[in-house]
Amino acid sequence: MSSTELTRTDLGRALCIITGASRGFGRTVAREMSRLVKPGSALVLAARSADDLRALKVELAESEAGRAGLVVECVVADLGEVGGLESVVRASEEAFSEHMDHIILFNNAASLGDVSRYTQSFTNMAEVDSYLSLNVSSSLCLTARVLQAFPQRPGVRRTVVNISSLCALQPFRSWVLYCTGKAARDMMFKVLAEEEPDLRVLNYAPGPLDTAMQTEARFRTADPSLRKSYLDMFAQSQLLSCETSCAKLTKLLLEDTYTSGAHVDFYEL
Amino acid sequence: MQTPCGMEVDETLYGNIRMTDVIPTDGRTLGRCICIITGASKGFGRALAHQVCCWLKPGSVLLLVARSETLLQELKEELKGFAVEQQLLVNCIVADLSTQKGVNEAVRVARLESEKENDHVLLINNAASLGDISQFSSFTDLDVVNSYMSLNISSALVLTAGMLQVFPRRPGLRWTVVNLSSVFATEALPSWVLYCTAKAARKMMFSVLAVGEPNVRVLSYSPGPLDTGMQKDILRMTGVDNHPFPCKDSAVKLMKLLLDDDFASGTHIDFFSV
């Protein structure tokens, strides 16, 4: 888009797939997307918690977008398991309609891993494998399946977002699984961006969010100075609301000028 | 000129350093060392086994880990002369490091050596696989991707953790961990998502180890394009000739890095920058 063109004010008639949509940042993304997509759009929300998804679906149905006909499909799935991915893809294929001009995949689902232990304690391969399955492999396979299900076609934009972290770039004591997973994902999506120039790929690091994951970090981090910095952030109200961070993500998506494959941090904007 | 183990050294250029440049003049060695090399039966691992022998003091132990008993025994035979002269114990550990059982076996054998009066533990995480080189969108099978990540990421973490526990840090014990890395730990290459992802993951993983364990020297070493079976696979699968050079060149450079021992722990060093 040239500088004389206005930034888009919406994300088009979109199929929006969001993983980890039942709470935290994923839920906020779902709410934001519902406000930003045009009538005729659909959200596919994936998470493990049926109750939380149902509550979100009801909330969205009662929203302005919902009343205007926004389709919301919930998929109860564990992405770390083979069957989980397939159910998300099937729901997406069903939710898609030929009028849609934008497919957006938010790879948001993630876990912290056990941050109460140091690197030398990770002697159990099943634990590490399981962590990588959810946090690395599932985002590769889901994205691959979605790209297969929705190949490039004229008039349809495709955007893939990876919810990243400062931990993708910087090592933190007692956070070996999380840092490893985030570094892996950033590279994965950089490769995708290199391979598919027509795809818009964004590694978005949302900043320290006030979520259940942050609470876990605050209480369980083994490294004393790291734990203290999380406690201080909380005490000094320096944690970001999901809404604040999502607003920046939204801006990035609407302006659509980021370099595909780039790592963009909340604090850079 | 001769190395401590009697290997003749001349002005041969390895990459861009001369063998004579590698020889420490102050008698530095890798100490009375327990050295564990994974993926030791072929390629770079095998070349490393040959090189590292030159720098191990008498009483050292070299543990060679790989899946192929035959190839390991061949290697052990090749090293027999050195081993006898240098009073090194060379043991083969036949293990599939993509399994808990295989890692446990390697750790079990290493534990047998932990009573000895060694002053250095050197763990070289070299075992790896190329994986399928294919379009991103082809990787739809979670089991295939998980299997790849297990061997190339989980295994290195679990083995390193196991060894760290078998040889606790103590005064007088030098601890070095090497991660065999790649330029593709930092450079994204189309169709190489599995390999790039795993190498990027390992680079971070060993960086976290470095910040968490100030008494462990951690080095991620990117060896350059090597004349190995893996490189032949690359040529076959992609048609790209990376102009590989002999493993020995790169192994010599890694030895220099380990002998100089002045790298910043957690750093990532490429063959071409040594």
Side-chain angles (χ1 to χ4, degrees):
Chain A
M1 286 169 62
S2 73
S3 56
T4 56
E5 290 182 59
L6 294 170
T7 300
R8 290 189 178 92
T9 51
D10 61 68
L11 291 170
R13 258 185 312 274
L15 170 65
C16 227
I17 306 160
I18 304 166
T19 66
S22 60
R23 50 190 181 135
F25 195 64
R27 181 170 57 187
T28 301
V29 170
R31 288 168 174 154
E32 260 304 282
M33 289 304 115
S34 74
R35 289 191 274 270
L36 285 169
V37 296
K38 282 164 64 164
S41 295
L43 303 187
V44 173
L45 309 178
R48 286 168 303 168
S49 163
D51 290 343
D52 290 346
L53 280 178
R54 202 175 305 118
L56 181 57
K57 181 170 177 167
V58 166
E59 181 196 312
L60 292 173
E62 290 167 359
S63 71
E64 196 182 317
R67 283 180 276 115
L70 175 71
V71 171
V72 177
E73 289 302 333
C74 296
V75 182
V76 181
D78 184 339
L79 296 173
E81 305 294 320
V82 175
L85 290 183
E86 260 328 292
S87 56
V88 177
V89 177
R90 257 198 317 274
S92 303
E93 287 170 325
E94 280 164 22
F96 180 76
S97 81
E98 291 304 318
H99 311 288
M100 288 174 176
D101 54 32
H102 196 180
I103 310 223
I104 319 174
L105 170 61
F106 289 91
N107 286 290
N108 166 78
S111 62
L112 194 56
D114 190 348
V115 295
S116 72
R117 290 153 49 204
Y118 291 102
T119 306
Q120 71 153 34
S121 74
F122 289 93
T123 54
N124 184 316
M125 197 167 288
E127 177 186 11
V128 182
D129 284 348
S130 171
Y131 184 84
L132 294 176
S133 184
L134 172 63
N135 290 276
V136 179
S137 309
S138 82
S139 49
L140 170 52
C141 295
L142 177 63
T143 305
R145 272 299 274 123
V146 168
L147 292 176
Q148 269 190 0
F150 303 102
Q152 204 211 326
R153 70 188 91 177
V156 181
R157 289 194 289 149
R158 298 178 306 165
T159 302
V160 176
V161 179
N162 164 38
I163 301 306
S164 182
S165 168
L166 177 61
C167 293
L169 307 180
Q170 207 177 309
F172 290 95
R173 288 190 80 203
S174 74
W175 280 50
V176 69
L177 293 184
Y178 192 77
C179 289
T180 298
K182 289 309 190 194
R185 289 164 66 111
D186 258 32
M187 172 56 85
M188 180 192 301
F189 289 103
K190 267 167 54 175
V191 172
L192 178 59
E194 289 291 316
E195 262 188 53
E196 302 244 9
D198 295 311
L199 201 56
R200 302 287 289 139
V201 182
L202 176 61
N203 287 316
Y204 177 66
L209 305 174
D210 191 4
T211 60
M213 186 183 274
Q214 183 67 225
T215 306
E216 201 185 331
R218 192 158 65 236
F219 286 115
R220 289 178 56 83
T221 295
D223 181 59
S225 71
L226 187 57
R227 190 168 74 253
K228 180 173 189 309
S229 64
Y230 285 127
L231 285 164
D232 288 349
M233 261 194 279
F234 176 72
Q236 291 156 28
S237 305
Q238 287 168 351
L239 293 179
L240 301 168
S241 70
C242 293
E243 288 73 21
T244 302
S245 186
C246 196
K248 286 207 176 169
L249 172 56
T250 298
K251 186 163 185 283
L252 282 165
L253 295 175
L254 289 171
E255 286 174 358
D256 199 24
T257 52
Y258 57 87
T259 302
S260 191
H263 175 103
V264 182
D265 189 280
F266 170 86
Y267 287 111
E268 286 171 40
L269 303 166
Chain B
M1 207 175 170
Q2 284 194 343
T3 68
C5 66
M7 182 171 79
E8 264 314 315
V9 164
D10 55 23
E11 296 289 309
T12 304
L13 207 57
Y14 291 96
N16 61 340
I17 60 165
R18 293 188 189 286
M19 191 56 171
T20 45
D21 294 339
V22 180
I23 311 304
T25 52
D26 55 4
R28 262 179 295 146
T29 65
L30 293 172
R32 194 181 157 131
C33 182
I34 296 176
C35 178
I36 305 122
I37 303 175
T38 67
S41 60
K42 299 185 282 187
F44 191 63
R46 193 169 180 133
L48 272 180
H50 279 274
Q51 288 305 313
V52 85
C53 274
C54 302
W55 309 104
L56 302 176
K57 280 173 69 170
S60 292
V61 178
L62 179 58
L63 301 177
L64 307 171
V65 190
R67 287 168 301 170
S68 164
E69 180 160 16
T70 312
L71 291 175
L72 282 176
Q73 287 300 334
E74 258 178 39
L75 174 59
K76 185 172 172 174
E77 261 310 296
E78 281 171 19
L79 299 174
K80 207 159 97 170
F82 273 137
V84 167
E85 260 181 56
Q86 294 293 107
Q87 300 163 58
L88 307 177
L89 178 63
V90 179
N91 270 349
C92 303
I93 305 175
V94 181
D96 181 348
L97 294 175
S98 70
T99 65
Q100 182 77 61
K101 191 171 158 201
V103 172
N104 290 350
E105 178 60 10
V107 172
R108 181 190 73 79
V109 175
R111 183 176 279 113
L112 295 173
E113 305 303 332
S114 67
E115 314 306 328
K116 307 208 170 156
E117 293 292 308
N118 295 96
D119 53 39
H120 190 189
V121 180
L122 171 59
L123 170 61
I124 303 181
N125 288 291
N126 166 76
S129 65
L130 186 58
D132 196 10
I133 298 181
S134 178
Q135 240 191 333
F136 188 106
S137 56
S138 71
F139 293 102
T140 55
D141 188 332
L142 193 65
D143 289 335
V144 166
V145 177
N146 276 340
S147 172
Y148 184 83
M149 299 305 164
S150 185
L151 173 62
N152 289 277
I153 307 175
S154 308
S155 168
L157 173 55
V158 172
L159 179 70
T160 301
M163 292 299 179
L164 285 168
Q165 292 199 10
V166 165
F167 301 103
R169 261 63 65 234
R170 58 172 167 79
L173 180 67
R174 197 176 143 195
W175 235 108
T176 309
V177 178
V178 179
N179 163 37
L180 258 303
S181 185
S182 167
V183 62
F184 299 120
T186 53
E187 206 178 289
L189 190 61
S191 300
W192 284 62
V193 66
L194 291 187
Y195 193 80
C196 289
T197 298
K199 290 309 190 198
R202 289 167 66 114
K203 179 175 182 279
M204 172 57 80
M205 190 163 88
F206 286 99
S207 295
V208 173
L209 176 65
V211 301
E213 293 276 346
N215 295 317
V216 177
R217 309 269 298 127
V218 182
L219 173 63
S220 284
Y221 177 65
S222 165
L226 304 176
D227 187 10
T228 60
M230 185 182 277
Q231 196 63 227
K232 289 191 174 67
D233 288 340
I234 292 168
L235 178 59
R236 182 174 47 82
M237 289 161 92
T238 67
V240 175
D241 181 353
N242 289 308
H243 307 291
F245 41 81
C247 292
K248 186 176 183 181
D249 289 15
S250 193
V252 165
K253 282 202 180 181
L254 177 55
M255 289 303 110
K256 176 173 166 54
L257 288 168
L258 295 175
L259 289 163
D260 287 349
D261 198 25
D262 54 14
F263 57 86
S265 189
T267 198
H268 188 271
I269 299 181
D270 186 86
F271 169 87
F272 292 106
S273 68
V274 179

